[in-house]
Amino acid sequence: MSSFDEADAFDAASVPLSQRAMQSARPAPYLDGLNPAQREAVETLDGPVLMLAGAGTGKTRALTARIAHLMTQGKARPNEILAVTFTNKVAREMKERVSSLLGQTVEGMPWLGTFHAICVKLLRRHAELVGLKSNFTILDTDDQIRLLKQLVVAESIDEKRWPPRQLAGIIDHWKNRAWTPAKVPTSEAGAFNHRGTELYDYYQQRLKALNAVDFGDLLLHMVTIFQDHPDVLAQYQRWFRYILVDEYQDTNVAQYLWLRLLAQGHRNICCVGDDDQSIYGWRGAEVGNILRFEKDFPGAKVVRLEQNYRSTPHILAAAAGVIDANKGRLGKTLFTDLTEGERVRLIGHWDGEEEARWIGEEVESMSRGTRGMEPVSLDDQAILVRASHQMRAFEDRFLTIGLPYRVIGGPRFYERLEIRDAMAYFRCAVSPDDDLAFERIVNTPKRGLGDKAQQKIQRAARDNGTTLIDGARILLADKGLTGKGAAELRVLVDGLARWHRMTRDPDQSHIELAEVILEESGYTAHWQNDKTPEAPGRLENLKELIKALEQFENLQGFLEHVALIMDNETEEGGAKVSIMTLHAAKGLEFPAVFLPGWEDGLFPSQRSMDESGLKGLEEERRLAYVGITRAERVCTISFAANRRVYGQWQSALPSRFIDELPEAHVEVLTPPGLYGGGYGAAGMASSASPAIMAASQSDLHDRAGRADVYNSPGWRRLQERSSQRPMRQPSEQRNMTIDLDAVSSFTDGDRVFHKKFGYGTVMAIEGDKLDICFDKAGQKKVVAKFIVDADRADDVPF
DNA sequence: TCATCTATGGTTTTT
DNA sequence: CCATAGATGA
């Protein structure tokens, strides 16, 4: 593993610690500008510390300053500090910030990383204690499910009624709680048709046999090792003088145990978090961990960071009003020095498409600058949704009006089909015994090796007690396979052997090798021959993958890295408005934030409430809190009375969270088309007269209590109507104004290409918008500038 | 073995 | 409605 240099990680320098303090006669510059609370959090170095850091209170700043302080005070060498984060991105940013605070590149911090990355390092050193070899492979979710599927099928369980995916979820859940098969409590015995525990046990055996681990194992194995081998634990307890944990409210039981075990040495643990931002309960995070901190670490110092540097007072007050409804909080009151600012804006719409239309226009008008306000760049605006399916309405709309956008948190780079395939090839080349990888690529691209041929290979391997690749060799030698399939398999097996030799050649550039593998295996050609619209993008991604190799010394190091890494944010092009889920937005901030879809059932999500009751509702509320607190200057909340869900029209009530918004901090905008604003929604945003807005606002606000949209005449009317069927089909729009300058050069029947939708045929033309029937994506209206002739698909103007 | 049809089910997501 | 996975026929 290339990023891990053992010598560096554990090299105890000969100079005594006390003398290794960086001579700092000058006052530490990293303390400049910290407020008293931050300063306390930075300077309280010894003993347990809980840093309760509200949204936008300079948490990262305090955390990095603390690390800098530890080093300059000579409290610990960089390699004696354990600093844990949840994402690689945050880990990387922290490293950068510490370096810049100290004004020099710190001799790396080998133990600053994600839980998983750190556990990989540790587990490689002690793999044998849990029956693994130190070169174990890390399975991704896909491999995990395929493995479980094999088990389920082998046990002749009906995989329809008992999907392997579900079993994967159950096992994950158990691993999150640090339960080995033997430790799964009897209360769980009914899981997966009473076979859950048993299958979990088989699965673990299978993993061991494959010398593989899944993500959950990384933590679980380390906890097991620490618990069963006190000598090993003691070594690390001694080594890690200071421990820092980011986003502590998101830790699960396994992570909690792991931390607690390590912290029992020096007891210098600083956990940073915000119970109000705990939004990952559904994947095993335990808010209880942070709520219990003072009990776990008696005498802990609790520091509250409450000065907010991000949002206006109205936004903070609105957020506070919502989160206040939750019980059992540790409690923080955010305040700000700012005095100016708009109230949180609230607007209701007839349906989801109108909401998208309105937001589209609002985004545009904000980026242009409106009502005497400074323009807000598209980069500074974000639409935060509860569920990713809500994104489509916005994508469709923005595509139509030609508003540049980016979707954050789509399929992760390393999760993409082509990347996983390519990785599987690399894995096979590096370790010929990686059966799961071989299974993945044996018939990708198609080699005429279908189920039957693969079963033969499996049998040959099993009968000879060897790997699949060797099984394939034996099968070929025995003439157990003939014809085209055999020839292709021969080529593949020979290729793999050759590539494997090349991985061992120190003179062989791994980058070239990777290209050779993808080329010779026919994988590149496979996508070149593919005419689907996504093929060019996939080839692009493969190029990216090759480029990413440059940062590594060899394929092994790269594979290691990619198994754990996720962020691949290649950003190009001009300013774009961001669309993402609320979960993805945590930790980010934007001057202008839109929060659509605040309807009961959607947000808070019905499923959360059904499955987790009050706990679920409270987590949803924290999500609302996270959403509002992302906004720096303008926060716009909206809801729609009707929404098409799975093709059916459904009406909904505004979210109960809307009732929780304190009236004094909310401005209710005219629900276009429903209340006071005439018929059309289009045009309301940018051209609504201030008088109308003001009138509607005072009308609604003169009422006692909350900014209660329920009681607005428009809302009532809407309610009455929505109990029936929507009157107006949402996609039916007024005639577009034809902009003569923009009239396109296309005519009906032209074959065209669109970057996202692929190839299609022009059906109709309306001004600068084309009605196109796409081969794959169906009929859509798209602005002409995003379209090119089909034969010029290479220079799409994106 | 591959392409096309049909049924199914459908938050949130990192590692 | 729409994406996707598994079953079915060529």
Side-chain angles (χ1 to χ4, degrees), chain A residues 449 452-457 459-460 471-483 485-486 489:
Chain A
L449 297 164
K452 247 178 129 193
Q454 290 184 40
Q455 272 168 20
K456 283 187 184 171
I457 297 174
R459 184 159 330 112
R473 284 206 185 88
I474 294 167
L475 187 67
L476 287 169
D478 294 352
K479 300 270 192 304
L481 202 66
T482 50
L489 183 60

mmCIF file of all heavy atoms in Angstrom, chain A residues 449 452-457 459-460 471-483 485-486 489:
data_model
loop_
_atom_site.group_PDB
_atom_site.id
_atom_site.type_symbol
_atom_site.label_atom_id
_atom_site.label_comp_id
_atom_site.label_asym_id
_atom_site.label_seq_id
_atom_site.Cartn_x
_atom_site.Cartn_y
_atom_site.Cartn_z
ATOM 1 N N LEU A 449 -18.492 -16.871 -22.895
ATOM 2 C CA LEU A 449 -18.344 -17.728 -21.719
ATOM 3 C C LEU A 449 -19.539 -17.475 -20.797
ATOM 4 O O LEU A 449 -19.461 -16.673 -19.884
ATOM 5 C CB LEU A 449 -17.036 -17.415 -20.998
ATOM 6 C CG LEU A 449 -15.767 -17.679 -21.816
ATOM 7 C CD1 LEU A 449 -14.568 -17.007 -21.198
ATOM 8 C CD2 LEU A 449 -15.535 -19.179 -21.944
ATOM 9 N N LYS A 452 -22.875 -21.652 -18.353
ATOM 10 C CA LYS A 452 -22.424 -23.040 -18.416
ATOM 11 C C LYS A 452 -20.902 -23.128 -18.358
ATOM 12 O O LYS A 452 -20.349 -23.910 -17.583
ATOM 13 C CB LYS A 452 -22.935 -23.686 -19.707
ATOM 14 C CG LYS A 452 -23.966 -24.773 -19.445
ATOM 15 C CD LYS A 452 -24.479 -25.340 -20.737
ATOM 16 C CE LYS A 452 -24.395 -26.862 -20.744
ATOM 17 N NZ LYS A 452 -24.617 -27.373 -22.123
ATOM 18 N N ALA A 453 -20.259 -22.337 -19.180
ATOM 19 C CA ALA A 453 -18.801 -22.343 -19.204
ATOM 20 C C ALA A 453 -18.259 -21.955 -17.832
ATOM 21 O O ALA A 453 -17.315 -22.570 -17.321
ATOM 22 C CB ALA A 453 -18.304 -21.369 -20.266
ATOM 23 N N GLN A 454 -18.887 -20.961 -17.214
ATOM 24 C CA GLN A 454 -18.389 -20.508 -15.920
ATOM 25 C C GLN A 454 -18.554 -21.591 -14.861
ATOM 26 O O GLN A 454 -17.708 -21.735 -13.971
ATOM 27 C CB GLN A 454 -19.095 -19.218 -15.508
ATOM 28 C CG GLN A 454 -18.660 -18.052 -16.379
ATOM 29 C CD GLN A 454 -19.269 -16.739 -15.933
ATOM 30 O OE1 GLN A 454 -19.368 -16.466 -14.741
ATOM 31 N NE2 GLN A 454 -19.676 -15.923 -16.886
ATOM 32 N N GLN A 455 -19.627 -22.319 -14.960
ATOM 33 C CA GLN A 455 -19.813 -23.413 -13.998
ATOM 34 C C GLN A 455 -18.717 -24.463 -14.147
ATOM 35 O O GLN A 455 -18.220 -24.999 -13.170
ATOM 36 C CB GLN A 455 -21.179 -24.060 -14.205
ATOM 37 C CG GLN A 455 -22.268 -23.363 -13.409
ATOM 38 C CD GLN A 455 -23.658 -23.790 -13.818
ATOM 39 O OE1 GLN A 455 -23.832 -24.854 -14.429
ATOM 40 N NE2 GLN A 455 -24.634 -22.970 -13.503
ATOM 41 N N LYS A 456 -18.352 -24.727 -15.386
ATOM 42 C CA LYS A 456 -17.274 -25.685 -15.619
ATOM 43 C C LYS A 456 -15.977 -25.212 -14.970
ATOM 44 O O LYS A 456 -15.247 -26.005 -14.373
ATOM 45 C CB LYS A 456 -17.055 -25.879 -17.128
ATOM 46 C CG LYS A 456 -18.089 -26.759 -17.789
ATOM 47 C CD LYS A 456 -17.687 -27.013 -19.228
ATOM 48 C CE LYS A 456 -18.762 -27.807 -19.965
ATOM 49 N NZ LYS A 456 -18.480 -27.877 -21.413
ATOM 50 N N ILE A 457 -15.730 -23.921 -15.126
ATOM 51 C CA ILE A 457 -14.508 -23.379 -14.525
ATOM 52 C C ILE A 457 -14.566 -23.532 -13.009
ATOM 53 O O ILE A 457 -13.608 -23.980 -12.373
ATOM 54 C CB ILE A 457 -14.324 -21.887 -14.903
ATOM 55 C CG1 ILE A 457 -14.162 -21.759 -16.420
ATOM 56 C CG2 ILE A 457 -13.138 -21.287 -14.179
ATOM 57 C CD1 ILE A 457 -14.122 -20.320 -16.925
ATOM 58 N N ARG A 459 -16.184 -25.677 -11.281
ATOM 59 C CA ARG A 459 -16.030 -27.082 -10.883
ATOM 60 C C ARG A 459 -14.568 -27.499 -10.974
ATOM 61 O O ARG A 459 -14.036 -28.102 -10.054
ATOM 62 C CB ARG A 459 -16.914 -27.986 -11.736
ATOM 63 C CG ARG A 459 -16.831 -29.436 -11.272
ATOM 64 C CD ARG A 459 -18.012 -30.299 -11.716
ATOM 65 N NE ARG A 459 -19.266 -29.581 -11.871
ATOM 66 C CZ ARG A 459 -19.838 -29.390 -13.059
ATOM 67 N NH1 ARG A 459 -19.267 -29.835 -14.167
ATOM 68 N NH2 ARG A 459 -20.988 -28.762 -13.122
ATOM 69 N N ALA A 460 -13.931 -27.121 -12.078
ATOM 70 C CA ALA A 460 -12.520 -27.483 -12.251
ATOM 71 C C ALA A 460 -11.688 -26.924 -11.103
ATOM 72 O O ALA A 460 -10.790 -27.604 -10.579
ATOM 73 C CB ALA A 460 -12.014 -26.957 -13.586
ATOM 74 N N GLY A 471 -8.166 -23.099 -12.316
ATOM 75 C CA GLY A 471 -9.245 -24.001 -12.727
ATOM 76 C C GLY A 471 -9.481 -23.880 -14.219
ATOM 77 O O GLY A 471 -9.628 -24.882 -14.932
ATOM 78 N N ALA A 472 -9.475 -22.652 -14.693
ATOM 79 C CA ALA A 472 -9.686 -22.414 -16.119
ATOM 80 C C ALA A 472 -8.559 -23.056 -16.927
ATOM 81 O O ALA A 472 -8.795 -23.677 -17.970
ATOM 82 C CB ALA A 472 -9.746 -20.911 -16.388
ATOM 83 N N ARG A 473 -7.351 -22.930 -16.423
ATOM 84 C CA ARG A 473 -6.203 -23.540 -17.129
ATOM 85 C C ARG A 473 -6.367 -25.047 -17.223
ATOM 86 O O ARG A 473 -6.165 -25.649 -18.282
ATOM 87 C CB ARG A 473 -4.909 -23.230 -16.371
ATOM 88 C CG ARG A 473 -4.445 -21.818 -16.571
ATOM 89 C CD ARG A 473 -2.943 -21.671 -16.377
ATOM 90 N NE ARG A 473 -2.641 -20.245 -16.468
ATOM 91 C CZ ARG A 473 -2.673 -19.432 -15.423
ATOM 92 N NH1 ARG A 473 -2.926 -19.898 -14.221
ATOM 93 N NH2 ARG A 473 -2.442 -18.148 -15.592
ATOM 94 N N ILE A 474 -6.725 -25.628 -16.093
ATOM 95 C CA ILE A 474 -6.894 -27.083 -16.065
ATOM 96 C C ILE A 474 -7.985 -27.499 -17.040
ATOM 97 O O ILE A 474 -7.833 -28.442 -17.814
ATOM 98 C CB ILE A 474 -7.228 -27.543 -14.628
ATOM 99 C CG1 ILE A 474 -6.029 -27.283 -13.717
ATOM 100 C CG2 ILE A 474 -7.626 -29.011 -14.605
ATOM 101 C CD1 ILE A 474 -6.319 -27.385 -12.244
ATOM 102 N N LEU A 475 -9.068 -26.735 -16.996
ATOM 103 C CA LEU A 475 -10.190 -27.036 -17.873
ATOM 104 C C LEU A 475 -9.756 -27.017 -19.340
ATOM 105 O O LEU A 475 -10.108 -27.906 -20.128
ATOM 106 C CB LEU A 475 -11.292 -26.000 -17.645
ATOM 107 C CG LEU A 475 -12.621 -26.231 -18.337
ATOM 108 C CD1 LEU A 475 -13.298 -27.455 -17.761
ATOM 109 C CD2 LEU A 475 -13.511 -25.010 -18.178
ATOM 110 N N LEU A 476 -8.954 -26.023 -19.659
ATOM 111 C CA LEU A 476 -8.479 -25.917 -21.040
ATOM 112 C C LEU A 476 -7.548 -27.080 -21.385
ATOM 113 O O LEU A 476 -7.657 -27.686 -22.459
ATOM 114 C CB LEU A 476 -7.749 -24.594 -21.253
ATOM 115 C CG LEU A 476 -8.643 -23.352 -21.296
ATOM 116 C CD1 LEU A 476 -7.805 -22.085 -21.249
ATOM 117 C CD2 LEU A 476 -9.510 -23.371 -22.546
ATOM 118 N N ALA A 477 -6.662 -27.401 -20.465
ATOM 119 C CA ALA A 477 -5.716 -28.489 -20.693
ATOM 120 C C ALA A 477 -6.453 -29.814 -20.886
ATOM 121 O O ALA A 477 -6.078 -30.638 -21.721
ATOM 122 C CB ALA A 477 -4.748 -28.595 -19.519
ATOM 123 N N ASP A 478 -7.523 -29.974 -20.126
ATOM 124 C CA ASP A 478 -8.294 -31.219 -20.217
ATOM 125 C C ASP A 478 -9.279 -31.213 -21.374
ATOM 126 O O ASP A 478 -10.097 -32.120 -21.503
ATOM 127 C CB ASP A 478 -9.093 -31.445 -18.912
ATOM 128 C CG ASP A 478 -8.173 -31.688 -17.744
ATOM 129 O OD1 ASP A 478 -6.956 -31.824 -17.985
ATOM 130 O OD2 ASP A 478 -8.661 -31.729 -16.605
ATOM 131 N N LYS A 479 -9.246 -30.163 -22.132
ATOM 132 C CA LYS A 479 -10.179 -30.037 -23.260
ATOM 133 C C LYS A 479 -11.644 -30.091 -22.787
ATOM 134 O O LYS A 479 -12.507 -30.616 -23.489
ATOM 135 C CB LYS A 479 -9.947 -31.133 -24.304
ATOM 136 C CG LYS A 479 -8.546 -31.143 -24.918
ATOM 137 C CD LYS A 479 -8.497 -30.255 -26.160
ATOM 138 C CE LYS A 479 -7.224 -30.463 -26.975
ATOM 139 N NZ LYS A 479 -5.968 -30.259 -26.216
ATOM 140 N N GLY A 480 -11.860 -29.583 -21.573
ATOM 141 C CA GLY A 480 -13.218 -29.606 -21.044
ATOM 142 C C GLY A 480 -14.083 -28.517 -21.657
ATOM 143 O O GLY A 480 -15.279 -28.436 -21.414
ATOM 144 N N LEU A 481 -13.447 -27.696 -22.431
ATOM 145 C CA LEU A 481 -14.164 -26.595 -23.063
ATOM 146 C C LEU A 481 -13.629 -26.504 -24.488
ATOM 147 O O LEU A 481 -12.433 -26.647 -24.726
ATOM 148 C CB LEU A 481 -13.858 -25.293 -22.320
ATOM 149 C CG LEU A 481 -14.861 -24.153 -22.469
ATOM 150 C CD1 LEU A 481 -16.190 -24.510 -21.834
ATOM 151 C CD2 LEU A 481 -14.291 -22.897 -21.829
ATOM 152 N N THR A 482 -14.522 -26.315 -25.426
ATOM 153 C CA THR A 482 -14.058 -26.284 -26.809
ATOM 154 C C THR A 482 -14.624 -25.087 -27.549
ATOM 155 O O THR A 482 -15.444 -24.350 -27.006
ATOM 156 C CB THR A 482 -14.512 -27.556 -27.561
ATOM 157 O OG1 THR A 482 -15.913 -27.734 -27.332
ATOM 158 C CG2 THR A 482 -13.742 -28.773 -27.109
ATOM 159 N N GLY A 483 -14.183 -24.939 -28.762
ATOM 160 C CA GLY A 483 -14.764 -23.922 -29.627
ATOM 161 C C GLY A 483 -14.333 -22.505 -29.301
ATOM 162 O O GLY A 483 -13.269 -22.276 -28.720
ATOM 163 N N GLY A 485 -15.462 -20.293 -27.167
ATOM 164 C CA GLY A 485 -15.276 -19.984 -25.758
ATOM 165 C C GLY A 485 -13.895 -20.372 -25.280
ATOM 166 O O GLY A 485 -13.219 -19.606 -24.598
ATOM 167 N N ALA A 486 -13.469 -21.580 -25.666
ATOM 168 C CA ALA A 486 -12.169 -22.076 -25.230
ATOM 169 C C ALA A 486 -11.050 -21.179 -25.735
ATOM 170 O O ALA A 486 -10.131 -20.819 -24.982
ATOM 171 C CB ALA A 486 -11.973 -23.504 -25.719
ATOM 172 N N LEU A 489 -11.064 -17.960 -23.823
ATOM 173 C CA LEU A 489 -10.613 -18.164 -22.446
ATOM 174 C C LEU A 489 -9.094 -18.318 -22.414
ATOM 175 O O LEU A 489 -8.425 -17.777 -21.532
ATOM 176 C CB LEU A 489 -11.301 -19.400 -21.842
ATOM 177 C CG LEU A 489 -10.970 -19.687 -20.381
ATOM 178 C CD1 LEU A 489 -11.372 -18.518 -19.489
ATOM 179 C CD2 LEU A 489 -11.657 -20.956 -19.891
#
